[in-house]
Amino acid sequence: MNQPGRLPRTTRPRRYELLIATDLDASTFSGEVVIALEMTEPTETIVLHSKGLDVVLASLSQGGAPVAADLRIDAEREHIVITAHRALLAGDAVLELQFDGSISPGLLGFYRSTYLDEAGARRVLAATQFEAPHARAAFPCFDEPEFKAIFAITLVVADGMLALSNGPEIDREKLPDGNVRVRFGTTIPMSTYLVAWVVGPLEVTEPVYAGGVAVRVAHVPGRGHLTQFALDVGAFAIEFFADYYGIAYPGTKCDLVALPDFSFGAMENLGCVTFRETRLLVDPDAATLDELSGAALTIVHEIAHMWFGDLVTMKWWNGIWLNEAFATFMEHLGIDAYKPEWKTWDEFALGRAAALDVDALENTRTVEYEVVTPEDADGMFDILTYQKGGSVLRMLERWLGADAFRAGVRHYLSRYQLANTETTDLWDALEEATGKPVRRIMDTWIFQRGFPTVCVDEGRLEQRRFSYASTGHDEQWVLPVLARVHTGEGAETRSLLFDADTVPLDVPDGALVVLNAGGDGFYRVAYPTAWRDRLLDARVLEPLERFALVDDLWASVLADDATATEFLDCARRFAEETDPIVWRVVIGHLRAAARLVAGDALDHMRAEIAAIVRPAMRRLGWDAHLDDERTRQLRGLFVNVLGSTTFDPETIARAREVYEHPEGADADVQAAAIAVVAGNGTADDFERFLARSEETVNPQEQLRYLYSLGDFPSEALVLRAAERALSDEIRAQNGPFVIQRALRNREHGPVVWAFVRDNWERALRRFSPSMIPRLIEGTTWLVEGRVPDDVMAFVTAHPVAAGARTIAQHMERLAVHRAAVARERERFSASLLNAHAP
């Protein structure tokens, strides 16, 4: 039976012979495709996908004999319908189509990208981005993940242009017209969304080898010196995952391609992985730890997909979440092996905290849901897919044990390699390997919205859904809990399966109990105040447990279960903290708490933050000579908050010195200094930021200057930044983030919103639909006066199909923040003013 929105199953592709001829000057392409088909039953029609292409039927044959047929284009459904004049029998058939199309000016399908060469001339290249269903915009195909097939790709390009695709280059022929025909080796059976090619004036490094697999980096000329880090990480990841999965790398080579224009962070095309430049090209000596680890995590994420996603693929787009969640989990597992000193699971906690924040909203969603339309599929690429999905997998792995979890994953990949699966196939494989009720556990996390808070009541644990809204919920989860019990005789970790309304907490009197041991559980803990204080006094909490305690308490403030004064009292206890991940959550929520007050109370709140942070900064000092990377990261965080949030004059002066004379300063302090100067900057500084964002060849440094344009204290300058973001002066992939940052400017966010509202149509024309939610995210703290009502009314009246749910979540977060201000402003202000009364 055919399902709505899906192609008939009467026809299946087995092999594509695809030729694409590209004219970069005219921004057009032409092609032909020969598809070897299997007819699963007699039929007179073949239905496949095409979008925006001029398609001609060249031939249809079966058993070596031609079959007369007609072609009809159904543009609304993005279908081509081939109707044969007689029924095709069950068995093999061959369909040949010819087509023409335009290279897209956007960032999807087969699209155009540009850069300026060293002489200042604009150079043009073209690349593909087919996930979710966009291969149909480049060639006629069966554009659904279940229709796996072998691809033999040939590209015709201008002489001197680099041509890359999924397979290795196996033949190159000069044509009479001066072009070059490049033929690539065949692929394993794979889905259309993983097909890729890149054509243009790029360079490629010499290969390094990982278990016999050639790894190269393709890049804009002049940036070869930024490729070694990616080569090292990529080679490590291939060898690490081949060992972890117990299966050799499924391709024949691995090209990592840095593209000047790219909508996402990266894309896991088999053997031809495409990236934003900032996520691939890195100078380790000039990058902050966040920038360095961000690039490394992205590289490892995409290579993890070569097995989980490419070798084994979901049957339909509803399974996108598992592809991305698993790769999110695996990227941290891989980096933990590559650079254990980075403590990457700490970074993972930040993503988990962000997912908890979204999943506490009424506009959250189940992790997996029914997908019918392309927009439904695009809507899965959000924080719940990546961070909640990855977090519940990490929680499961910690509960099952790392070795047992890996055994289940190996069992799954071995059983289903080259095939397609449903989500439950993984749970069943894990159950078979471990004997634990994995499907029963995971069904409650994947097919149910939200997450629980674990509470203690009269010696028993209770769970209830955590929500920022006051509406009642009665959901229950099968919750794998790790608890650590401290007694006078030592500490013991207990593994519980919390699958009822309540479970007994059988511990000795006076014991200290950590209810999310390790901090890896995707749930919150509501500790009684006395219990929380005892845990902090006893110093028994590990860094991620302290992180979770602080994050849970701030969430309780937003949910009206605790006050901002309680949170500040708790935050003061961390003045002696030394771990960067704990400082990141403390400072992040202190900054949010400062948004709750204004006027004199805000001045006092800034003084409170300075009093907490300044002693720690003085202990560190400004000299990073012998520090490790995480200590340098912490110093950068302190410089940023003291100079940009508390406006400490000494820090601002030192930051400007670093900005003017960066030699000798580490990258984290340099990046922080840029943010501090922007937040206190002049018109001359603004001009220098613009110039430096255009002159530097370091992709990370470019974004430091570019995104800081929204931080300036002048309304006119911030509006200039927003206007520039809507022009060709800033790449369309970066413009939404410039505006997002400007919207977060405490003083000028409202006027930036008015600019966005008045230039909405320009934004829609300029930016990819998937980027509009990123822009709107900047409005979530526009809580003053009538601005939030204006934002919500405008967004409601101007719906965006792509990311509609994400935008609704942003609006709800804005409502949550406004409600927190309404509750807290008077009482928190009074508390701050009384605390500083003479």
Side-chain angles (χ1 to χ4, degrees):
M1 179 181 295
N2 294 329
Q3 295 174 270
R6 300 174 70 167
L7 296 178
R9 266 47 189 166
T10 54
T11 310
R12 289 184 174 273
R14 294 304 180 200
R15 180 185 175 96
Y16 292 80
E17 297 278 351
L18 176 63
L19 182 144
I20 299 288
T22 303
D23 186 336
L24 290 176
D25 292 333
S27 285
T28 60
F29 64 94
S30 60
E32 57 186 52
V33 61
V34 179
I35 311 175
L37 302 172
E38 177 190 357
M39 316 308 294
T40 62
E41 61 185 69
T43 182
E44 295 179 355
T45 60
I46 299 170
V47 184
L48 64 162
H49 289 108
S50 176
K51 180 180 180 181
L53 300 173
D54 293 325
V55 186
V56 174
L57 174 62
S59 68
L60 175 64
S61 63
Q62 188 169 49
V67 178
D70 301 313
L71 181 148
R72 176 175 61 85
I73 294 177
D74 184 343
E76 182 178 353
R77 295 186 180 182
E78 301 176 357
H79 285 175
I80 293 174
V81 181
I82 310 293
T83 304
H85 292 185
R86 65 168 175 82
L88 296 165
L89 303 178
D92 296 338
V94 178
L95 174 66
E96 182 178 357
L97 301 168
Q98 297 172 346
F99 54 94
D100 297 282
S102 297
I103 298 173
S104 171
L107 298 175
L108 297 173
F110 186 29
Y111 72 91
R112 184 174 185 268
S113 178
T114 65
Y115 67 88
L116 297 180
D117 65 17
E118 294 177 342
R122 187 170 297 277
R123 306 299 302 275
V124 179
L125 63 139
T128 58
Q129 172 56 42
F130 290 161
E131 190 177 31
H134 301 292
R136 64 191 68 177
F139 65 103
C141 57
F142 295 79
D143 201 13
E144 295 180 9
E146 189 174 355
F147 289 118
K148 281 189 166 183
I150 293 169
F151 288 85
I153 296 173
T154 299
L155 300 177
V156 175
V157 302
D159 193 15
M161 294 294 169
L162 181 69
L164 300 172
S165 188
N166 302 93
E169 180 179 321
I170 58 174
D171 184 64
R172 177 177 288 259
E173 178 186 1
K174 189 74 173 286
L175 300 177
D177 62 4
N179 288 325
V180 177
R181 181 164 52 213
V182 184
R183 191 160 60 92
F184 299 91
T186 56
T187 69
I188 63 172
M190 65 182 192
S191 304
T192 49
Y193 78 91
L194 298 169
V195 174
W197 61 85
V198 179
V199 176
L202 299 175
E203 296 177 349
V204 65
T205 66
E206 290 297 315
V208 300
Y209 290 90
V213 178
V215 183
R216 304 183 300 176
V217 173
H219 58 88
V220 166
R223 299 194 174 183
H225 64 292
L226 301 174
T227 61
Q228 189 58 51
F229 178 76
L231 290 169
D232 291 344
V233 175
F236 175 88
I238 286 174
E239 294 186 340
F240 174 82
F241 288 124
D243 175 69
Y244 183 90
Y245 296 135
I247 298 174
Y249 176 78
T252 52
K253 55 92 175 177
C254 184
D255 288 333
L256 310 175
V257 186
L259 296 173
D261 298 283
F262 196 72
S263 183
F264 303 98
M267 176 61 206
E268 65 269 20
N269 315 302
L270 182 66
C272 187
V273 188
T274 45
F275 293 80
R276 278 193 182 212
E277 288 184 321
T278 53
R279 293 292 180 164
L280 189 67
L281 304 180
V282 182
D283 178 356
D285 295 329
T288 68
L289 180 54
D290 279 349
E291 292 164 347
L292 202 60
S293 65
L297 287 165
T298 302
I299 295 166
V300 176
H301 179 109
E302 304 309 325
I303 291 176
H305 271 309
M306 300 298 110
W307 289 263
F308 206 105
D310 294 8
L311 180 65
V312 178
T313 312
M314 69 278 182
K315 285 185 178 180
W316 181 240
W317 300 114
N318 64 303
I320 286 176
W321 83 267
L322 185 56
N323 269 15
E324 298 302 340
F326 193 87
T328 299
F329 166 74
M330 292 304 298
E331 73 187 46
H332 289 274
L333 196 72
I335 291 300
D336 191 45
Y338 176 70
K339 286 285 186 181
E341 64 271 24
W342 286 357
K343 295 187 179 297
T344 188
W345 290 113
D346 290 0
E347 191 77 18
F348 189 77
L350 295 170
R352 179 171 54 246
L356 287 166
D357 184 47
V358 171
D359 210 26
L361 301 172
E362 291 302 294
N363 276 298
T364 189
R365 63 168 173 84
T366 58
V367 173
E368 183 169 325
Y369 59 83
E370 183 181 13
V371 171
V372 176
T373 68
E375 290 78 16
D376 293 337
D378 287 338
M380 269 207 175
F381 294 94
D382 67 1
I383 196 169
L384 294 173
T385 283
Y386 288 85
Q387 302 301 342
K388 179 179 180 178
S391 295
V392 296
L393 287 172
R394 171 65 169 172
M395 177 173 65
L396 179 67
E397 186 239 19
R398 296 288 281 177
W399 190 75
L400 292 174
D403 291 342
F405 183 85
R406 180 169 76 162
V409 170
R410 285 184 165 192
H411 180 44
Y412 168 82
L413 290 175
S414 177
R415 173 183 289 177
Y416 296 109
Q417 57 184 308
L418 301 179
N420 297 83
T421 61
E422 300 284 2
T423 298
T424 50
D425 293 327
L426 176 59
W427 309 151
D428 292 344
L430 287 166
E431 282 198 7
E432 292 171 18
T434 65
K436 298 294 180 67
V438 175
R439 186 190 280 216
R440 186 161 67 92
I441 293 170
M442 297 305 287
D443 279 355
T444 64
W445 292 93
I446 303 310
F447 298 113
Q448 184 168 278
R449 304 185 315 151
F451 62 90
T453 294
V454 175
C455 314
V456 182
D457 184 28
E458 297 182 355
R460 300 184 67 84
L461 298 182
E462 296 183 352
Q463 61 163 296
R464 55 179 171 81
R465 180 175 169 184
F466 181 90
S467 175
Y468 292 138
S470 59
T471 55
H473 300 282
D474 57 2
E475 296 95 333
Q476 295 290 314
W477 287 260
V478 181
L479 177 58
V481 173
L482 292 177
R484 192 172 64 254
V485 180
H486 293 262
T487 64
E489 299 178 356
E492 171 197 4
T493 299
R494 300 183 184 180
S495 178
L496 308 173
L497 191 61
F498 193 168
D499 58 355
D501 291 346
T502 67
V503 296
L505 181 62
D506 185 16
V507 299
D509 292 340
L512 291 171
V513 183
V514 182
L515 290 176
N516 188 356
D520 293 303
F522 195 79
Y523 55 91
R524 296 201 183 278
V525 177
Y527 288 115
T529 302
W531 191 333
R532 182 177 68 235
D533 291 345
R534 287 178 62 213
L535 288 172
L536 292 174
D537 289 340
R539 298 180 183 273
V540 298
L541 295 177
E542 299 170 1
L544 286 182
E545 294 164 356
R546 299 198 295 277
F547 177 103
L549 183 147
V550 173
D551 193 55
D552 291 349
L553 181 57
W554 175 251
S556 295
V557 174
L558 295 181
D560 199 19
D561 292 327
T563 68
T565 300
E566 289 178 73
F567 175 79
L568 179 57
D569 289 341
C570 181
R572 291 188 184 110
R573 302 182 62 131
F574 288 88
E576 301 297 319
E577 178 62 55
T578 59
D579 196 277
I581 193 59
V582 182
W583 272 115
R584 290 178 79 170
V585 72
V586 169
I587 287 174
H589 292 326
L590 282 171
R591 281 172 152 164
R595 288 276 195 165
L596 301 178
V597 292
D600 291 343
L602 175 59
D603 292 339
H604 289 313
M605 184 60 189
R606 287 170 172 160
E608 288 279 1
I609 297 173
I612 294 169
V613 175
R614 191 182 293 115
M617 178 63 196
R618 286 176 177 163
R619 290 194 299 271
L620 275 188
W622 285 76
D623 184 8
H625 181 59
L626 297 176
D627 290 337
D628 61 25
E629 290 158 306
R630 294 182 78 240
T631 303
R632 294 181 179 190
Q633 179 191 54
L634 182 57
R635 178 182 291 106
L637 176 63
F638 289 161
V639 170
N640 192 310
V641 68
L642 288 171
S644 300
T645 301
T646 74
F647 300 104
D648 176 66
E650 178 185 350
T651 302
I652 293 170
R654 288 292 299 272
R656 184 167 283 280
E657 290 177 14
V658 171
Y659 166 70
E660 299 286 355
H661 305 285
E663 303 82 7
D666 68 274
D668 282 280
V669 167
Q670 288 185 41
I674 289 171
V676 171
V677 170
N680 299 275
T682 65
D684 288 342
D685 293 325
F686 190 89
E687 297 300 330
R688 293 177 68 184
F689 272 49
L690 287 178
R692 291 186 179 184
S693 71
E694 295 171 351
E695 293 166 358
T696 180
V697 297
N698 183 318
Q700 292 77 32
E701 184 180 13
Q702 179 188 55
L703 292 190
R704 292 177 204 164
Y705 285 109
L706 192 61
Y707 291 170
S708 293
L709 295 175
D711 294 346
F712 275 75
S714 159
E715 176 182 307
L717 294 178
V718 173
L719 285 175
R720 274 189 62 193
E723 173 62 41
R724 195 175 183 88
L726 288 180
S727 74
D728 291 337
E729 300 298 323
I730 292 178
R731 292 186 184 275
Q733 66 185 9
N734 297 325
F737 296 99
V738 174
I739 295 176
Q740 181 195 90
R741 186 86 160 250
L743 285 165
R744 287 176 173 166
N745 188 307
R746 178 165 184 144
E747 297 302 320
H748 306 305
V751 73
V752 175
W753 163 250
F755 171 85
V756 170
R757 181 195 62 211
D758 295 343
N759 290 274
W760 185 248
E761 293 302 321
R762 287 177 64 194
L764 294 180
R765 290 193 300 270
R766 177 68 180 157
F767 302 138
S768 166
S770 64
M771 302 299 284
I772 297 298
R774 299 296 187 94
L775 184 157
I776 294 295
E777 188 176 358
T779 66
T780 58
W781 272 106
L782 294 180
V783 295
E784 303 294 342
R786 298 180 178 178
V787 178
D789 289 328
D790 184 52
V791 173
M792 293 177 191
F794 183 87
V795 169
T796 300
H798 297 79
V800 178
R805 187 183 297 275
T806 300
I807 292 174
Q809 290 164 356
H810 296 332
M811 293 301 95
E812 188 177 348
R813 289 171 67 201
L814 172 57
V816 168
H817 293 158
R818 179 169 65 169
V821 170
R823 287 193 309 269
E824 290 287 344
R825 176 151 294 179
E826 183 175 349
R827 67 187 180 192
F828 191 34
S829 296
S831 174
L832 288 165
L833 295 172
N834 290 337
H836 293 82

